[in-house]
Amino acid sequence: MTIDSPHKDFSLAPSARGPGAWLETLLITGITIGLAWWFSPQDPLKVYGFPWSMLAPLLIGLRYGFVKALASALILVGSVVILHRQGSSLYAELPSAYIVGTLIVAMLVGEFRDNWERRLQKLQMANEYRQYRLDEFTRAHQILRLSHDRLEQRVAGGDQSLRSSLLLLREQLRKLERRGDALESMADAVIGLLGQYGSLRVAGLYRMLDDQRVEPKPLATLGEMALLDPDDQLVRLCIEQRKLVSVREMFIEGGEWKGFTSLQACVPLIDAEGRLLALLAIRQMPFFAFNDRTLSLLALLAGHVADLLNSDPVSLRLDDADAQFFSQQLKRSLIDVEQHHLSGTLFAVELRTPDEELIRVLVDSQRGLDLQLLVTNRQGHQCMLILMPLTSAQGIGGYINRLQYLLGERFGQERRLEDFDLRTLHYELVPNGERQGLRNFIYNECGLNASQVAV
């Protein structure tokens, strides 16, 4: 997962791939041999003293890992063999201790570095997942806060609320017969929604051809919107910064912005994973609406629309919005487990008799990254599905202890989990790409169906 955002503009370790790493390996090893020959021509590789030449594969192993360290060590060993075959008196006999020692040091250091790089990559992926969830929560919180005043203003006129508009857009997306190009099919509805809440007069929605190029022909427009100039300063700035950009209000009032750009604002449609789908180019909007509050709402709406357009089509067919979100997060956890070998567990609690108080305890037991979905299985029992990203099967014990503590607080310390009429199940997500086991767990063991959870 690659997300182009400010909190990920770093690298935990230099890349061991590419010609630069090989060039550095050859240069360091060659310079080491050259310096050794310069300072000690009688024993250039220091075979019979302290093996200074061994620093080359050691440093390369720490920097680039096993393969490059072994290559450096083989160059040193090859140099010894060449000197031996040329009849050097010092190397009349092959120094087996030096050869074996150099190879062992190089392989050990390289393997040590590769092992820690794998650990760091797993930690980085876990951190990116947490940041993804935080961004998702922040976006949802902000759009709720910003839409509250809008809702108050529009209720008197009987207009739709922002939430209703997003749900309507989701419903239109569900009814698409072909999901090959959801952006093109939904372009009119998307720009209509953004135009409604941004009070836009002239604007256009433009597809991104790749991360840096935008298609000049609009997918949908409001008003008379001509072809977009890909070299427009505001467009280039929006693509480079990957965030909403606009000209200042003082420039709008004085007309000075026309020398810089033909647009007033440019809004990127970026989903929660950082993929740039399209640009909303705004050429004209009322001056009273050109403020931070409206522009922030447009940016948040654009993010939600991008998330909708990139939604999993299988999950989107589910009737319940919570089930759709749960299924999408389950799919994401499966991808993290399969591609990045992170942990993930699905925990289920089946209540054989209705107990609203126990349901509230289960809801209160939710941890920071956990996701819960309350459904009714084929037996008519309430079933709480709990998705636990970054939690292995061994970590289930910690959750059960937390649940037991909450039960003790609510029902008394003498009550145990086993005293309630319920059944617990769990399934650890596996990285082998085989999802039949997960389907069997959800649809057979938990007694659910494909209209409740999509896998």
Side-chain angles (χ1 to χ4, degrees), residues 54-109:
M54 202 177 292
L55 287 175
L58 190 148
L59 293 174
I60 291 169
L62 288 174
R63 183 168 175 81
Y64 290 123
F66 183 89
V67 175
K68 306 297 188 300
L70 182 60
S72 177
L74 289 175
I75 293 174
L76 293 179
V77 171
S79 302
V80 173
V81 173
I82 290 173
L83 291 172
H84 167 72
R85 290 189 176 181
Q86 287 180 348
S88 172
S89 58
L90 186 63
Y91 303 126
E93 293 184 6
L94 281 176
S96 56
Y98 174 82
I99 293 174
V100 174
T102 301
L103 292 173
I104 289 177
V105 167
M107 289 188 290
L108 284 177
V109 172

Side-chain angles (χ1 to χ4, degrees), residues 361-368 370 372 388 395-409:
V361 173
L362 290 173
V363 172
D364 292 342
S365 70
Q366 181 175 359
R367 302 173 303 173
D370 293 351
Q372 295 182 343
M388 301 179 177
I396 292 294
Y399 173 76
I400 292 178
N401 290 336
R402 173 186 175 86
L403 183 58
Q404 184 61 62
Y405 175 78
L406 293 173
L407 288 172
E409 281 190 334

Side-chain angles (χ1 to χ4, degrees), residues 78-325:
S79 302
V80 173
V81 173
I82 290 173
L83 291 172
H84 167 72
R85 290 189 176 181
Q86 287 180 348
S88 172
S89 58
L90 186 63
Y91 303 126
E93 293 184 6
L94 281 176
S96 56
Y98 174 82
I99 293 174
V100 174
T102 301
L103 292 173
I104 289 177
V105 167
M107 289 188 290
L108 284 177
V109 172
E111 181 61 27
F112 173 84
R113 186 265 184 194
D114 288 346
N115 183 50
W116 274 101
E117 183 184 32
R118 287 190 290 270
R119 293 188 184 185
L120 289 173
Q121 286 176 345
K122 285 189 177 183
L123 290 174
Q124 184 178 14
M125 292 308 305
N127 178 65
E128 287 183 3
Y129 181 77
R130 292 186 177 95
Q131 186 63 46
Y132 160 78
R133 292 290 299 276
L134 177 61
D135 291 345
E136 205 171 50
F137 171 78
T138 303
R139 182 175 287 173
H141 171 75
Q142 290 294 330
I143 200 169
L144 179 64
R145 182 179 64 84
L146 290 172
S147 65
H148 179 72
D149 291 342
R150 289 271 177 173
L151 179 60
E152 289 181 340
Q153 295 170 9
R154 296 175 184 272
V155 162
D159 219 340
Q160 285 183 322
S161 69
L162 181 56
R163 183 176 183 274
S164 300
S165 300
L166 289 173
L167 289 176
L168 180 61
L169 190 66
R170 180 189 292 270
E171 189 64 26
Q172 292 175 344
L173 191 59
R174 287 183 59 200
K175 293 178 180 178
L176 280 182
E177 295 182 1
R178 298 177 59 190
R179 289 295 306 275
D181 192 351
L183 177 61
E184 183 174 357
S185 303
M186 299 291 296
D188 289 326
V190 168
I191 199 169
L193 175 68
L194 296 173
Q196 175 187 354
Y197 286 95
S199 302
L200 307 182
R201 291 176 180 169
V202 180
L205 186 66
Y206 300 85
R207 182 200 306 275
M208 290 297 300
L209 299 174
D210 53 41
D211 284 343
Q212 297 298 325
R213 296 184 302 129
V214 60
E215 185 176 353
K217 184 179 179 181
L219 295 171
T221 61
L222 292 174
E224 296 295 328
M225 189 73 177
L227 294 177
L228 183 68
D229 179 12
D231 296 323
D232 187 281
Q233 295 294 321
L234 208 62
V235 172
R236 300 313 311 166
L237 196 61
C238 179
I239 294 175
E240 290 171 6
Q241 297 187 1
R242 300 173 74 85
K243 65 180 182 181
L244 183 147
V245 293
S246 66
V247 293
R248 296 178 62 86
E249 292 88 337
M250 63 183 70
F251 294 157
I252 291 281
E253 192 173 10
E256 302 173 26
W257 58 282
K258 293 182 179 178
F260 174 75
T261 176
S262 63
L263 305 174
Q264 291 184 358
C266 193
V267 185
L269 272 67
I270 300 180
D271 66 8
E273 295 188 13
R275 291 172 291 195
L276 180 56
L277 305 183
L279 293 181
L280 175 69
I282 303 171
R283 184 152 288 164
Q284 187 178 350
M285 63 187 298
F287 181 72
F288 71 85
F290 194 80
N291 53 60
D292 290 340
R293 197 175 187 83
T294 303
L295 293 177
S296 296
L297 179 58
L298 279 175
L300 289 166
L301 271 176
H304 271 273
V305 169
D307 288 337
L308 272 179
L309 294 174
N310 273 340
S311 296
D312 177 33
V314 178
S315 303
L316 205 59
R317 291 195 203 101
L318 302 178
D319 295 329
D320 184 62
D322 291 335
Q324 292 174 11
F325 182 70

